Amino acid sequence: METLSDRVALVTGGGSGLGRATCVDLARHGAHVVAADIDLAGAEQTAKLVEEAGGTAEAAHLDVTDREAVDALVGRLSDAHGARFDLLVSNAGTDRGADLVAVEDEQWHGVFGVNVHGPMYLGRAFVRHLVDAGRPQDQPGDIVCVVSISALTVGAGAGAYNASKAAMHKLAEVMQTEARERGWPARVSIIDPAAMNTPMMEQWSLPDEKMMDPFVVARLIRTAATLPPDVVLQSVVVTKRIENYPR
């Protein structure tokens, strides 16, 4: 069985949906998880579920668009756990659907703040932590970027989401390149899930048969973080077999 014993994982968007499923799955396999979310009550509920299942967890309030808050949390976890803190699941995301002619500036910038700026702040702070902790290049820490199939497809009413996820996908590819060319002690994986049965999808009213169980994607996140250190999930799309997404 894949083990994450002695590893500490920060999961953003950990208060619900895929983030909650990821926390539960990682903890079930030995990780100490930090469920971070702008909804602290949700993060605390996730930590409670993990502990009730026999794992260890803590909850943290985090607005990923707040650079100082991101740096502070990563710094606190670095001080508390040292080199054991070696897994970041950059999962927090938001979607505020509107057609181009109807979208407000606040909606547009809000979506980009969470989906693009947040992953940049987190990735930067985490890689700095790995370097400062003296992580060797042949035993890299893991950054798993949960992007979206929407980075590769388009849909009416989803301009902010599609565009922001495309930007996040390209940012993650740059991170992969810099990790390789600059010798970062980090492995960067990219996962592009299709629709999942999570609270964020409620606005789209999709039938259940078109959505995945988030625990399916959570298992793939765990796989990305437990592959041999010289192997990486460069970019993987995961979807229901009944769907036929254009590429």
Side-chain angles (χ1 to χ4, degrees):
M1 183 173 67
E2 298 168 344
T3 180
L4 290 157
S5 298
D6 296 324
R7 298 185 70 177
V8 175
L10 170 61
V11 181
T12 65
S16 66
L18 176 58
R20 174 170 290 172
T22 300
C23 287
V24 170
D25 186 80
L26 294 178
R28 185 181 294 150
H29 289 80
H32 174 76
V33 295
V34 181
D37 204 291
I38 196 168
D39 174 13
L40 179 57
E44 290 173 339
Q45 180 62 24
T46 296
K48 180 180 179 181
L49 291 171
V50 167
E51 291 169 351
E52 288 176 347
T56 64
E58 58 190 280
H61 177 265
L62 181 66
D63 177 355
V64 298
T65 71
D66 183 338
R67 178 191 57 78
E68 292 183 353
V70 168
D71 288 345
L73 178 58
V74 172
R76 177 170 70 78
L77 295 177
S78 181
D79 291 342
H81 302 289
R84 293 180 58 226
F85 171 38
D86 69 349
L87 173 53
L88 167 65
V89 181
S90 194
N91 167 72
T94 191
D95 180 8
R96 301 176 63 186
D99 285 357
L100 181 64
V101 295
V103 68
E104 300 290 340
D105 290 354
E106 183 270 335
Q107 287 176 279
W108 183 271
H109 293 297
V111 171
F112 267 78
V114 174
N115 294 352
V116 185
H117 301 160
M120 188 279 284
Y121 296 151
L122 284 154
R124 180 175 63 186
F126 185 69
V127 171
R128 288 173 174 173
H129 150 70
L130 293 176
V131 171
D132 291 345
R135 190 86 184 184
Q137 293 181 27
D138 61 350
Q139 297 178 29
D142 280 290
I143 302 173
V144 182
C145 296
V146 180
V147 189
S148 172
I149 199 168
S150 293
L152 311 171
T153 63
V154 296
Y161 190 72
N162 283 158
S164 65
K165 285 300 187 177
M168 181 184 177
H169 199 285
K170 188 57 64 176
L171 170 64
E173 290 178 339
V174 171
M175 291 167 63
Q176 288 177 332
T177 299
E178 291 191 357
R180 181 177 65 251
E181 295 184 359
R182 309 297 193 225
W184 292 356
R187 169 172 59 184
V188 182
S189 302
I190 303 173
I191 298 176
D192 293 314
M196 291 173 283
N197 200 340
T198 65
M200 194 177 75
M201 290 304 300
E202 291 174 358
Q203 64 181 305
W204 297 107
S205 301
L206 291 178
D208 287 347
E209 62 267 20
K210 287 184 174 289
M211 296 189 289
M212 295 181 289
D213 182 336
F215 276 94
V216 172
V217 182
R219 290 199 298 271
L220 187 57
I221 291 170
R222 169 167 44 90
T223 296
T226 54
L227 289 170
D230 59 343
V231 177
V232 62
L233 286 187
Q234 193 83 7
S235 178
V236 60
V237 172
V238 55
T239 181
K240 292 290 284 282
R241 287 198 304 149
I242 63 171
E243 295 295 346
N244 182 24
Y245 286 93
R247 295 297 302 274

